[in-house]
Amino acid sequence: WMSRLTKRIASGGGRIEDVDLLKSVADNICGRTICALGEGAAWPVQSNVAKFREEYNIDYVPMNITYDDKELKASLDWEEYTAKELYDLLRNGKKIKTTQVPMNVFEQVFKKYLDQGIDVLYISCSSALSGSVNIARMIKDQVLENYPDGKINIVDSLISCLGQGLM
């Protein structure tokens, strides 16, 4: 299962629920198998799924979601709502849209790293689906006026799926 899910994600055919399923399979293997190879295969999956951003020092620029005149941050840490609450809204027929990443958010994140002397690599979801990559390019030019030695590299991934996370 883990191998099939990982291959599907890596090939760009992953679904959002695959990450939870992958973790669930790994969790069910640990402590429930007499084969040491089973746990040995499950541990890296558990670690990468649970601590991927932290282990690889990956930050992100959040966009927002909107529904019923509400606008909430689309956070990977689910501070404003849970994944279950989001999917319940969808199941109950709510039309949820995403916004582009706000300009001030790009500016804050870019400056945060440039202030530390760290170059920035921003990998966007497909420009065919979001205008955020264009906003990032515009903010890059503005920010670099004050950071002549800084580097901000912007990549249009041309995809928007779980495989993008493996880039």
Side-chain angles (χ1 to χ4, degrees):
W1 274 71
M2 288 189 304
S3 176
R4 284 188 290 180
L5 285 169
T6 303
K7 285 177 184 174
R8 182 167 69 201
I9 292 168
S11 71
R15 300 181 305 245
I16 193 68
E17 62 269 15
D18 286 347
V19 175
D20 291 333
L21 181 56
L22 190 59
K23 185 171 183 326
S24 175
V25 170
D27 289 346
N28 282 313
I29 290 172
C30 287
R32 294 185 173 90
T33 181
I34 59 171
C35 175
L37 295 177
E39 287 194 344
W43 291 331
V45 169
Q46 288 175 313
S47 175
N48 277 320
V49 169
K51 299 178 182 177
F52 183 80
R53 286 186 293 134
E54 180 183 325
E55 286 183 17
Y56 297 102
N57 195 25
I58 296 173
D59 201 348
Y60 70 102
V61 286
M63 54 182 60
N64 297 319
I65 63 165
T66 62
Y67 70 93
D68 290 345
D69 297 325
K70 295 179 185 177
E71 188 166 322
L72 303 170
K73 186 167 73 170
S75 169
L76 297 175
D77 296 317
W78 302 96
E79 297 104 344
E80 297 186 24
Y81 50 90
T82 66
K84 182 182 181 325
E85 290 169 332
L86 177 67
Y87 285 109
D88 284 347
L89 289 169
L90 291 168
R91 278 188 281 275
N92 292 324
K94 291 286 181 201
K95 185 172 184 164
I96 298 176
K97 296 180 180 183
T98 57
T99 67
Q100 295 179 9
V101 176
M103 290 191 289
N104 67 316
V105 174
F106 274 121
E107 183 178 8
Q108 290 168 2
V109 172
F110 290 171
K111 285 181 176 182
K112 176 173 90 173
Y113 291 100
L114 294 174
D115 283 340
Q116 299 173 56
I118 299 172
D119 294 339
V120 175
L121 171 62
Y122 171 66
I123 303 173
S124 76
C125 70
S126 175
S127 58
L129 299 173
S130 174
S132 290
V133 69
N134 296 323
I135 293 174
R137 288 180 181 131
M138 183 177 67
I139 297 301
K140 167 191 169 179
D141 293 338
Q142 292 174 7
V143 167
L144 288 179
E145 289 176 7
N146 296 315
Y147 295 87
D149 295 328
K151 289 191 175 98
I152 300 174
N153 297 297
I154 297 176
V155 177
D156 182 348
S157 70
L158 301 176
I159 59 174
S160 187
C161 65
L162 237 34
Q164 179 181 1
L166 297 173
M167 291 175 71

